[in-house]
Amino acid sequence: ARPDKIAATIPTERLHLRGELNEGEGNTLHFEQDGMPVTATANDGFAWVSGRGDKKALAVKPGEAFALPTAGDFESDQPFSYGVWIRPMKKDLGGAVFARMDSGNNYRGWDLWLEGGKPGTHIVSTWPDDALKVVANKAIEAKRWTHVFVTYDGSAKAAGVKIYIDGEVQSTGVQADKLAGTTRTTVPFKIGQRNTTSPLDTAGIQDVRIYDRVLEPTEI
């Protein structure tokens, strides 16, 4: 089946957040959050670059981050899934692709993470004693658009985390596997960094999505 035909059959219910990030100009991003339009604005820390196909893409870099105050506030026992198209501009890039994580409160929250170019996630109540950390064993390529996606089943176990690269589930390394406390936090969801730390040093990103359920492999 053609990809567009497959996409037409995939259910989109419980899509918590989507931002295509292809505005191509200006300093305002447009999202749909729980079925309602929302926007985020930044004055620096980004650029517009060539994206997938004929559309522009957001390129994030250290500086001010686009923030959404109410997006992505999940509890540790709540299933959710999240992903993005990303094009790192250098090999072995590290930092938060996006996150709702309070850097000043023992890193409470969660992120979509790159560690030496390897995609992963932290889901944290108190780092490192009450947290999950799972990282793919495979790094994504520099200067190539790659689809990265994570699912978490709400089990509070590292075994409940799956990481996908271009639709293929990956073998992973577990660096923390002890989660019991809350992961909810008052800091906003941010693109390209945690609340105040771990910015990406230039990467193109498009089509941020968060679902408040576990997606099936065929959907990813």
Side-chain angles (χ1 to χ4, degrees), residues 72-78 80 100-102 105-111 122-132 152 154-156 178-187:
D73 190 18
F74 297 113
E75 188 51 276
S76 57
D77 62 355
Q78 185 174 356
F80 62 109
R100 187 178 179 107
M101 180 173 282
D102 189 349
N105 184 27
N106 298 301
Y107 297 93
R108 179 165 295 168
W110 63 275
D111 61 16
H122 301 79
I123 304 173
V124 177
S125 182
T126 301
W127 181 259
D129 297 325
D130 191 354
L132 307 178
Y152 168 62
S155 65
K178 187 179 180 182
L179 179 61
T182 183
T183 53
R184 299 193 69 182
T185 177
T186 59
V187 300

Side-chain angles (χ1 to χ4, degrees), residues 97 103 109 153 171 208:
V97 183
S103 311
D153 67 2
S171 64
V208 166

